[in-house]
Amino acid sequence: MPSIKGINMTVGQEQQAGMKEKQVLEDLETHLTRRDTEALFQEQPQTGNQYLEDTLLRSYLKTHLPPKVLEEVHQDLERFGNRLLTKIQRLSWECELNPPVFRQFDAWGRRVDRIHTCSAWRRMKEISAEEGLIAEAYEKRYSNWSRLYQAVKLYLFSSSSGGFSCPLAMTDGAAKVIESLGNPGSLKNAFDRLTSRDPEKFWTSGQWMTERRGGSDVANGTETVARKQPDGTYRLYGFKWFTSAADSDMALTLARIADAEGQCTQGSRGLSLFFLRVRDEDGKLNNIQVQRLKDKLGTRQMATAELWLQGARAELISAEGRGVAAISNMLNITRIHNVIGAVASMRRMISLSRDYACKRVAFGKLLKDHPLHMQTLARMEVQVRGAFLLLMEIVRLLGLAETNLASEQEQLLLRLLIPVAKLYTGKQASAVAVEAMESFGGQGYMEDTGLPVILRDALVLSIWEGTTNILSLDVLRSLAKSQGQVMAVFLSTVQKKLELASGTEQLSPAVQRAREAIGSLQQFMAATGSERALTMELAARDFSYSLARIYTGALLMEHAARPDASSTDVWAALRWCNQELCPVAVESGRGSYGAGAALQDSALVFGNSRL
Ligand code: MFK
């Protein structure tokens, strides 16, 4: 006897049950089919021309650029915005879908170590040259404004670049190093190619700094040895553990020069900077073996590799033992690119969230009509506005420095603000990407929406190019090097901006809060006294956050004090200044930076048994 769900039935009963089941299925199918043909049940969020839609960017350019420069730049950016929308965004998605593939051996067992990139990735390289994404900064067509203009193009490109902004960062950094070395003849070809607008000529560069024994601790972690050859060149032997965009044409890297006995100087003083070609004219690797490609959480569009240097031919380009100082020019540029990437990913996420809020109906109305939802988006908008203005301030200062127009104070300020901005915006980008993802509900978590890619790629921004703590220590390095002078410049610059803002009455609560924060910061600096070294190390992160929040607050206020400022500019400044602007003073007041607190923190992490 047959059975349904364990119930015994006769043949008649079985037939009846079968017919009923069929009827239910038919009803269900009719219902689903009807619903299916009605409409898509959710509309995809989209953005238009990113340049035209970015009111803050446009108002910044209008305020700061000379009219003639603005006119030309505006036309180009509008055109570029259209190109991004209609052509480049599609390529970006292709890069995500077709990550690089590594083939170690050919069909006949020969070692080939080939990194295959997709055609969209290679097209990105051509586009970068055509658009002058590196060239613009070095041609200096617009004098001190060229660097800012380049940064704006990179900012627009970043979130549609399919990860190509990474090799561009290092390419820019390498060009900067070569330029700062006075463009020596032996590097002329490389410089011309890095800064070329000709896709046929254009080169990208790698920055090989990280080795097995340490990422951040370059001074102690670098094992690569350089052996001098009779012709004056060097051969490098070592293992590079993280080499981003390993398909690049050239690289700058650190190594220790061995003396006649094969001995090397350890520590930072033993490091020198080298230039090398990755492949020769025939495409053969320069005595380099690719061990494998990295299996990363994000930036999967890009080939990050482990490389064995087995006698790679290289040229010494810094003074012996001055490798870290020489490559720091590259680091400062790539850190600025990191800020560009952070602001761009925040802007993209928020633009998509904003569009979605105008399309998605929940609880009987559009998301944009839910005040709590809009409050959440507004909080993110304040973050990206602040980060954007901080980025513009840095590239404005860099442009002045590169055209010999920056005062000594402005140069000091630039040195301080680069690590401050890198560490702060890296964290902002991760937080905003997570928050924005939530604004799409479950859809935000779906791979094929493309939203998780933005989050994954944003998460690296606080790690590579120096983690948050390493950058916080770099902030202290810049203080120490200037013997505190940079703090005086920081404070006087902020004071000037606040003075300007105090002429706008609606801004007065923000001005007041910023002034209080400055007072607290000064008190903290004065109170560190004899315990300064330990206190400052423990306080480094909160201290850097305080600098970021105070300076950004001042920039938002300055922008909101323009004659043609809007009420939203004012609101953004007020909102920014409602947060704790000087966390270092608050934590210091709680005794967080003493030796006792350090011991307790350690005990908290490990449990009391370790003490
Ligand atoms: C979208 C964005 C895309 C970005 C893509 C990039 C992909 C590439 C991925 C990577 O390569 S990630 C790896 C990046 N690695 C790092 O960022 C290293 C992090 N570690 C540090 O930054 C350490 O602070 C550092 C290695 C610099 C410390 O080294 P040392 O040897 O202990 O430094 P020291 O002795 O304090 O300084 C040596 C010299 O360099 C000094 O000059 P002087 O000898 O003339 O006094 C310093 O002033 C100078 N210096 C150090 N950092 C500087 C700097 N100068 C200017 N700016 C800086 N930031």
Side-chain angles (χ1 to χ4, degrees):
M1 188 176 281
S3 72
I4 293 178
K5 288 186 186 160
I7 302 167
N8 292 336
M9 288 194 282
T10 63
V11 174
Q13 282 171 326
E14 190 200 342
Q15 275 171 350
Q16 255 187 345
M19 279 164 65
K20 255 193 194 156
E21 204 174 307
K22 200 168 158 231
Q23 184 63 50
V24 168
L25 281 174
E26 272 173 16
D27 286 353
L28 199 59
E29 204 176 308
T30 319
H31 179 65
L32 279 177
T33 311
R34 194 174 57 238
R35 276 189 35 194
D36 228 12
T37 53
E38 270 169 8
L40 282 171
F41 68 82
Q42 276 186 40
E43 258 193 88
Q44 185 185 346
Q46 273 164 346
T47 56
N49 180 320
Q50 283 163 252
Y51 167 65
L52 293 180
E53 286 183 356
D54 198 327
T55 49
L56 180 64
L57 164 62
R58 293 182 63 191
S59 67
Y60 182 91
L61 296 180
K62 191 168 160 230
T63 308
H64 293 269
L65 293 188
K68 182 84 184 71
V69 178
L70 178 67
E71 199 186 311
E72 287 186 29
V73 159
H74 168 76
Q75 279 178 12
D76 183 52
L77 293 176
E78 183 174 351
R79 177 203 55 78
F80 187 45
N82 280 331
R83 190 176 186 193
L84 286 165
L85 183 65
T86 55
K87 303 261 159 45
I88 301 177
Q89 263 178 28
R90 197 165 25 85
L91 294 174
S92 167
W93 189 238
E94 272 182 47
C95 291
E96 181 63 26
L97 296 179
N98 302 292
V101 176
F102 175 48
R103 295 257 179 273
Q104 202 155 29
F105 297 94
D106 72 7
W108 306 101
R110 259 193 313 251
R111 179 107 190 215
V112 286
D113 287 9
R114 264 193 210 117
I115 298 172
H116 292 273
T117 54
C118 69
S119 60
W121 175 264
R122 296 193 300 276
R123 182 76 191 109
M124 288 296 189
K125 185 177 177 185
E126 293 168 356
I127 290 169
S128 303
E130 287 161 12
E131 292 290 342
L133 294 180
I134 303 301
E136 201 63 64
Y138 295 88
E139 291 166 353
K140 300 190 175 70
R141 283 193 292 165
Y142 301 117
S143 179
N144 55 306
W145 296 109
S146 288
R147 189 51 98 162
L148 188 138
Y149 173 40
Q150 178 218 22
V152 168
K153 282 191 91 163
L154 287 165
Y155 159 66
L156 294 173
F157 182 60
S158 179
S159 53
S160 304
S161 73
F164 208 81
S165 53
C166 171
L168 288 182
M170 298 185 291
T171 302
D172 199 353
K176 180 74 181 172
V177 168
I178 297 175
E179 192 186 55
S180 62
L181 293 171
N183 252 322
S186 64
L187 296 176
K188 187 177 178 314
N189 179 41
F191 183 79
D192 288 349
R193 285 177 177 275
L194 295 171
T195 58
S196 176
R197 286 178 183 265
D198 178 354
E200 296 287 313
K201 270 181 75 183
F202 183 55
W203 275 3
T204 56
S205 176
Q207 164 193 320
W208 301 349
M209 283 190 77
T210 308
E211 301 201 7
R212 284 177 303 188
R213 279 176 49 205
S216 305
D217 188 3
V218 174
N220 296 305
T222 305
E223 298 171 307
T224 299
V225 169
R227 294 189 196 287
K228 193 164 186 177
Q229 305 301 302
D231 65 356
T233 63
Y234 287 78
R235 284 192 180 267
L236 305 187
Y237 299 85
F239 187 58
K240 299 288 172 180
W241 178 244
F242 269 103
T243 58
S244 298
D247 58 319
S248 291
D249 303 278
M250 57 162 274
L252 297 189
T253 192
L254 295 169
R256 297 184 192 282
I257 297 176
D259 63 18
E261 281 78 47
Q263 300 301 308
C264 299
T265 307
Q266 294 308 308
S268 189
R269 284 187 311 112
L271 292 173
S272 304
L273 185 61
F274 292 84
F275 158 84
L276 60 88
R277 291 284 313 274
V278 178
R279 288 174 192 79
D280 64 18
E281 300 305 332
D282 302 326
K284 192 168 161 291
L285 280 164
N286 174 10
N287 296 316
I288 296 168
Q289 281 202 340
V290 182
Q291 172 142 306
R292 59 174 169 161
L293 294 191
K294 294 294 204 184
D295 188 7
K296 295 168 290 176
L297 171 68
T299 65
R300 292 186 196 160
Q301 320 85 347
M302 187 230 324
T304 303
E306 293 171 11
L307 300 179
W308 280 107
L309 309 187
Q310 297 171 332
R313 280 182 303 279
E315 181 185 334
L316 174 67
I317 61 169
S318 72
E320 282 190 34
R322 296 293 294 161
V324 172
I327 206 168
S328 61
N329 279 313
M330 184 170 204
L331 285 180
N332 285 330
I333 293 292
T334 50
R335 285 169 185 172
I336 293 174
H337 279 252
N338 207 83
V339 180
I340 295 174
V343 184
S345 61
M346 285 190 269
R347 175 50 73 210
R348 178 126 191 95
M349 272 305 227
I350 295 170
S351 299
L352 291 169
S353 293
R354 192 173 55 189
D355 186 62
Y356 195 57
C358 299
K359 292 174 169 167
R360 164 88 169 121
V361 174
F363 304 104
K365 52 187 178 181
L366 288 166
L367 290 184
K368 77 175 179 58
D369 296 324
H370 290 276
L372 181 56
H373 190 74
M374 293 316 288
Q375 180 200 65
T376 311
L377 297 197
R379 285 180 177 166
M380 291 191 273
E381 177 66 27
V382 172
Q383 293 298 317
V384 69
R385 279 175 178 245
F388 173 81
L389 291 178
L390 189 55
L391 167 64
M392 288 296 106
E393 178 76 345
I394 287 174
V395 291
R396 184 185 68 79
L397 290 169
L398 180 61
L400 290 174
E402 290 181 331
T403 46
N404 298 321
L405 293 170
S407 64
E408 202 183 319
Q409 283 85 350
E410 283 167 328
Q411 292 178 45
L412 286 175
L413 191 60
L414 175 63
R415 169 71 184 90
L416 175 72
L417 289 181
I418 292 173
V420 164
K422 191 302 187 173
L423 73 90
Y424 199 76
T425 60
K427 285 291 192 201
Q428 279 179 306
S430 304
V432 166
V434 170
E435 187 67 81
M437 185 178 244
E438 202 176 317
S439 73
F440 301 96
Q443 284 300 98
Y445 201 62
M446 296 298 112
E447 275 295 339
D448 52 0
T449 62
L451 295 162
V453 178
I454 306 177
L455 172 63
R456 278 201 299 268
D457 291 354
L459 291 176
V460 78
L461 294 168
S462 62
I463 298 176
W464 68 10
E465 294 312 317
T467 59
T468 310
N469 284 354
I470 291 296
L471 269 292
S472 302
L473 297 175
D474 193 50
V475 169
L476 299 190
R477 190 186 274 110
S478 87
L479 254 58
K481 184 131 188 183
S482 74
Q483 293 166 334
Q485 223 190 318
V486 70
M487 273 315 289
V489 177
F490 175 89
L491 292 169
S492 70
T493 310
V494 171
Q495 299 281 18
K496 266 189 225 142
K497 294 186 191 306
L498 296 185
E499 198 53 50
L500 189 96
S502 61
T504 304
E505 206 196 321
Q506 301 99 302
L507 288 170
S508 58
V511 173
Q512 169 78 11
R513 284 185 63 89
R515 287 197 168 131
E516 283 164 14
I518 290 172
S520 307
L521 186 66
Q522 284 172 314
Q523 270 175 14
F524 165 77
M525 296 291 285
T528 47
S530 57
E531 273 187 84
R532 206 177 167 103
L534 177 66
T535 307
M536 283 310 284
E537 183 180 332
L538 285 173
R541 189 189 267 240
D542 296 334
F543 178 71
S544 304
Y545 279 25
S546 305
L547 298 187
R549 288 189 190 161
I550 292 171
Y551 204 90
T552 303
L555 289 170
L556 282 161
M557 282 185 259
E558 184 183 46
H559 194 72
R562 290 160 19 248
D564 57 347
S566 66
S567 60
T568 51
D569 292 328
V570 173
W571 184 239
L574 290 171
R575 262 208 171 279
W576 179 273
C577 292
N578 277 341
Q579 68 185 314
E580 181 49 69
L581 292 179
C582 191
V584 76
V586 175
E587 286 297 322
S588 173
R590 291 174 184 153
S592 299
Y593 308 133
L599 275 174
Q600 290 295 344
D601 282 344
S602 201
L604 189 64
V605 173
F606 288 113
N608 287 331
S609 57
R610 288 264 183 135
L611 271 185

